Amino acid sequence: MASSTSPAAKIIDGKAIAQEIRNEIAKEVQSLSQSHNKVPGLAVVIVGSRKDSQTYVSTKRKACAEVGIRSFDIDLAEDVSESDVIARVHELNADPDVHGILVQLPLPKHINEERVLSEISIEKDVDGFHPLNIGKLAMKGREPLFSPCTPKGCLELLSRSGITIKGKNAVVVGRSNIVGLPVSLLLLKADATVTIVHSHTRDTDRIIREADIIIAAAGQAHMIKGDWIKPGAAVIDVGTNAVDDPSRKSGYRLVGDVDFQEASKVAGWLTPVPGGVGPMTVAMLLKNTLDGAKKKIVQ
Amino acid sequence: MASSTSPAAKIIDGKAIAQEIRNEIAKEVQSLSQSHNKVPGLAVVIVGSRKDSQTYVSTKRKACAEVGIRSFDIDLAEDVSESDVIARVHELNADPDVHGILVQLPLPKHINEERVLSEISIEKDVDGFHPLNIGKLAMKGREPLFSPCTPKGCLELLSRSGITIKGKNAVVVGRSNIVGLPVSLLLLKADATVTIVHSHTRDTDRIIREADIIIAAAGQAHMIKGDWIKPGAAVIDVGTNAVDDPSRKSGYRLVGDVDFQEASKVAGWLTPVPGGVGPMTVAMLLKNTLDGAKKKIVQ
């Protein structure tokens, strides 16, 4: 009885929204090309031949091609020296046709990631991970040149679903540099009341139950149960966890940090995994590259 | 009856703790002077003759003298040009005897504060307000060269009162760049569960009632009532608000953001205003200057 009266959550179709954004970007790239005879350029640097990294990089390069962004492919051998990687980054910093630089992580162990990333020009840091960009993201009255892609994608999913953020109680689960921390800062800038919970939090479920907006980025399969969710809350699930599934050929399937079946009966809005936040990350990378190019080309 | 059974809050004596820290700094300065024949140097730049700024600057310079830090006094006329102020900052950046640079705010309206502050060398940014320092403060696995003084003072008051932060629910009231935001980041780094409430928050009192640690930095006299406080909570009051008081010669007195009388019956620990956080800010400025000097002198 109870379940029949509770309305089902609206499923936020990240794939469709990302496609919509990619279409908008493609139009802007075309008009930039017509008016200034220039297109945005994204350099994607990959070191070695990790299968997962190869897949991510190929997705990003294909996405560039689709919207008309020129992709610069820098494929370096597994045993390349750190100084050679840095030298390539410097070349890309100096190249006026490159508006964004992305170094696919992780790098092989003999290379210091922090050192390599800090060599990327702040004006081409389309990943938005430079501490100067994070600092400006955190500070009132300052604006970063680029916001990190996945957090930006989460806010875009909310706004394109008609969910207002201002004055809402938002709970972010996880505090990674890549998602949890920057998404908290973005939500705070959008005037939400923000709580960040993490592995040392004592009463996670009680805190989550007060949230109008939940951003789940803990990396724990099905951690967030249906009865942790306030009826009508908006739930953005950033988790991508592989769980065993003998019924699949691969032997596994991907699930989020939220128990989707349970949550879909309680939440007001909910993103699926896969097909929720994932496609938005690439779309925001394209958007950041376009924005970086516009700053240089349109003056 | 009820009030007789509830234990009174322990009042945290910020003046005494700050003096303790200043004594520790004086000892370190003396040993640095003996071992390396050098002392830390702090340049305090003031533009114009605002009464309040003059008072703050004179307090800071006296505090330097007391612990043996050399103070460089840069007093500029109200009508000095922005480029002249920046030129002085560049001189101080280059001076090997200066380990910290502080520009007293506010600056006269014809001078762009952000532009002046961004010219201070990050290695001498003892106020800790540079976006690069804030970014590193925010990020896991990164450490800023300097943390902002008032937020650092709040955490020092907690730790020297024997209050553990890890796993506690901390609520920060206010999100200014100077206090609320950076103290939230420091608490998060110390493994608290952090909630930031502000002017757009809807149920401030309910949220504060869940806090084990309250940092009040809203700038609203007596905003936080006794029944907003969980019994036993630690309350750090950063507010310094002038309220009318005809019984005083000055016609006003300073009060905090917390209703002290009410709070003292409920809280476990409580800082007074004045004499709580205030003296800690100057002590932390001296500590940052010492730390900056040690990085340069002891190698």
Side-chain angles (χ1 to χ4, degrees), chain B residues 93-114:
Chain B
N93 283 344
D95 187 337
D97 291 330
V98 172
H99 304 101
I101 301 171
L102 181 133
V103 176
Q104 184 64 42
L105 302 181
L107 293 172
K109 280 187 184 154
H110 67 281
I111 299 176
N112 182 320
E113 286 185 358
E114 190 178 329

Side-chain angles (χ1 to χ4, degrees), chain A residues 186-234:
Chain A
L186 279 173
L187 288 164
L188 186 64
K189 234 173 192 164
D191 292 331
T193 300
V194 179
T195 302
I196 308 163
V197 302
H198 47 78
S199 55
H200 294 288
T201 298
R202 285 179 192 160
D203 38 6
T204 306
D205 51 339
R206 177 191 63 76
I207 294 170
I208 291 177
R209 249 177 232 119
E210 302 286 352
D212 304 307
I213 296 170
I214 300 167
I215 312 280
Q220 283 189 42
H222 291 169
M223 171 190 165
I224 296 171
K225 309 298 174 198
D227 65 1
W228 294 21
I229 297 168
K230 178 157 107 175

Side-chain angles (χ1 to χ4, degrees), chain A residues 114 117 129-132 134-136 138-142 164 166-169 175-177 181 185 188-198 200-203 206-207 210 212, chain B residues 114 117 129-132 134-136 138-142 164 166-169 175-177 181 185 188-198 200-203 206-207 210 212:
Chain A
E114 189 178 329
L117 294 181
F129 293 149
H130 193 289
L132 193 58
I134 297 291
K136 289 183 172 184
M139 292 170 84
K140 218 193 274 194
R142 306 283 184 102
T164 56
K166 191 173 181 165
K168 296 283 182 67
N169 291 332
R175 52 172 170 170
S176 70
N177 286 340
L181 174 81
L185 299 174
L188 186 64
K189 234 173 192 164
D191 292 331
T193 300
V194 179
T195 302
I196 308 163
V197 302
H198 47 78
H200 294 288
T201 298
R202 285 179 192 160
D203 38 6
R206 177 191 63 76
I207 294 170
E210 302 286 352
D212 304 307
Chain B
E114 190 178 329
L117 293 181
F129 292 149
H130 194 290
L132 193 57
I134 297 291
K136 289 184 173 183
M139 293 170 84
K140 219 193 273 194
R142 304 283 183 104
T164 56
K166 190 172 180 166
K168 295 282 181 68
N169 291 332
R175 53 173 170 170
S176 70
N177 286 341
L181 174 81
L185 299 174
L188 186 64
K189 235 174 192 165
D191 291 332
T193 300
V194 179
T195 302
I196 307 164
V197 303
H198 46 78
H200 294 288
T201 298
R202 284 178 193 163
D203 37 7
R206 179 191 62 76
I207 293 170
E210 302 285 352
D212 304 305

